Amino acid sequence: MQWVRWGLMVVSGLALLPLVILDMVIGSYRVSPMVVLKALVDGIDPVFNVPHDAYLVVWQLRLPEALASLILGASLASAGAVLQGILRNPLASTYTLGISAAAGFGAAVAILLGAGYVIRYYLPVITEPYLVVIGAFIAASSAALLVYFLSFIKGASPVTIILAGVAVMFVFSTGTSLIQYLTGNPDVTHAIVMWMLGSVTNVTLNYIPYMALSLLAIPYYVLIAWRLNALNLGDDVAHSLGVNVRNTS
């Protein structure tokens, strides 16, 4: 049945292209699928000379959003699959482990300390997004280390790790709520809430190479997939199959 699995993966991958084209077609400014394809070609070599407004909509607005969505979806899906495989629990995720809450706290601190934002069309747009990303990354990494430290003290079983993650999640969520309550600036609170809700509206093509760095881990996940499958059979079985259970977990 291995060929069936690979066949489904190939078909799913090929289905992404028409879905991406459909995503760039739908919107308040309607363009046909053929115009989208011509605009994409014109971005490389101006052969078709599509209307300038359609070209800008495709390249400046919808293509960055579509690429960012693909990268985010692949990153989150692969990370969630690895977490669930290691912890042998379908509830395991960046949320239950407190990593997402910590990232939100780090972003809130960065916004509060002056990452900068402007109000456009009644919505806050952060002017220094890289500072917010750095703050979120530092806080998320700290939360992951804290969860591992707490679980290591009590014995690093999957249940202990998840319980430690839930505790860390509540701590950072409380910190974010306190920042929103005590800031005294409704625009700051609005900027924090909008960032935590998540959006790819303001993504540009300049962000895509940096976002694509998150995909570098996926080949490694594929290489260790057999170890994760072995872990689901239990530690004893995995060890008998040559898996270093402690290092993998």
Side-chain angles (χ1 to χ4, degrees), residues 18-40 50-63 65:
L19 290 176
V20 170
I21 299 300
L22 179 63
D23 178 65
M24 289 188 285
V25 168
I26 299 174
S28 57
Y29 183 93
R30 299 300 298 270
V31 291
S32 66
M34 188 57 65
V35 172
V36 170
L37 292 174
K38 290 181 178 180
L40 292 176
V50 298
H52 187 63
D53 53 351
Y55 178 87
L56 290 179
V57 167
V58 171
W59 275 93
Q60 301 296 327
L61 297 176
R62 297 182 182 173
L63 180 61
E65 293 177 1

Side-chain angles (χ1 to χ4, degrees), residues 9-247:
M9 292 176 61
V10 171
V11 171
S12 300
L14 294 176
L16 283 177
L17 180 59
L19 290 176
V20 170
I21 299 300
L22 179 63
D23 178 65
M24 289 188 285
V25 168
I26 299 174
S28 57
Y29 183 93
R30 299 300 298 270
V31 291
S32 66
M34 188 57 65
V35 172
V36 170
L37 292 174
K38 290 181 178 180
L40 292 176
V41 173
D42 280 354
I44 302 172
D45 185 14
V47 176
F48 299 104
N49 294 319
V50 298
H52 187 63
D53 53 351
Y55 178 87
L56 290 179
V57 167
V58 171
W59 275 93
Q60 301 296 327
L61 297 176
R62 297 182 182 173
L63 180 61
E65 293 177 1
L67 293 177
S69 299
L70 286 176
I71 293 172
L72 290 172
S75 301
L76 293 174
S78 58
V82 171
L83 285 175
Q84 292 176 6
I86 292 176
L87 298 179
R88 284 160 280 178
N89 192 320
L91 297 178
S93 68
T94 55
Y95 293 95
T96 54
L97 293 179
I99 298 174
S100 294
F105 175 79
V109 171
I111 294 172
L112 181 65
L113 296 180
Y117 60 90
V118 293
I119 304 299
R120 294 177 185 170
Y121 306 108
Y122 306 101
L123 295 176
V125 178
I126 296 173
T127 57
E128 298 292 340
Y130 295 108
L131 295 179
V132 179
V133 170
I134 291 173
F137 178 78
I138 292 175
S141 301
S142 301
L145 292 175
L146 181 59
V147 169
Y148 183 78
F149 177 74
L150 292 175
S151 60
F152 184 78
I153 292 177
K154 297 296 184 180
S157 66
V159 175
T160 304
I161 293 175
I162 292 178
L163 291 177
V166 171
V168 171
M169 175 190 67
F170 281 115
V171 170
F172 281 105
S173 296
T174 302
T176 304
S177 299
L178 285 175
I179 291 176
Q180 293 173 321
Y181 179 75
L182 299 176
T183 181
N185 187 337
D187 290 336
V188 172
T189 301
H190 194 188
I192 293 172
V193 171
M194 293 303 296
W195 191 91
M196 295 182 65
L197 287 176
S199 174
V200 294
T201 302
N202 298 307
V203 173
T204 65
L205 288 176
N206 295 330
Y207 297 163
I208 300 302
Y210 301 101
M211 297 178 65
L213 294 176
S214 62
L215 302 178
L216 296 178
I218 293 180
Y220 174 72
Y221 296 158
V222 175
L223 291 176
I224 66 170
W226 71 274
R227 301 182 188 177
L228 301 181
N229 292 333
L231 285 176
N232 288 325
L233 301 175
D235 291 349
D236 294 335
V237 176
H239 183 73
S240 67
L241 293 175
V243 178
N244 190 324
V245 176
R246 183 176 181 83
N247 289 343

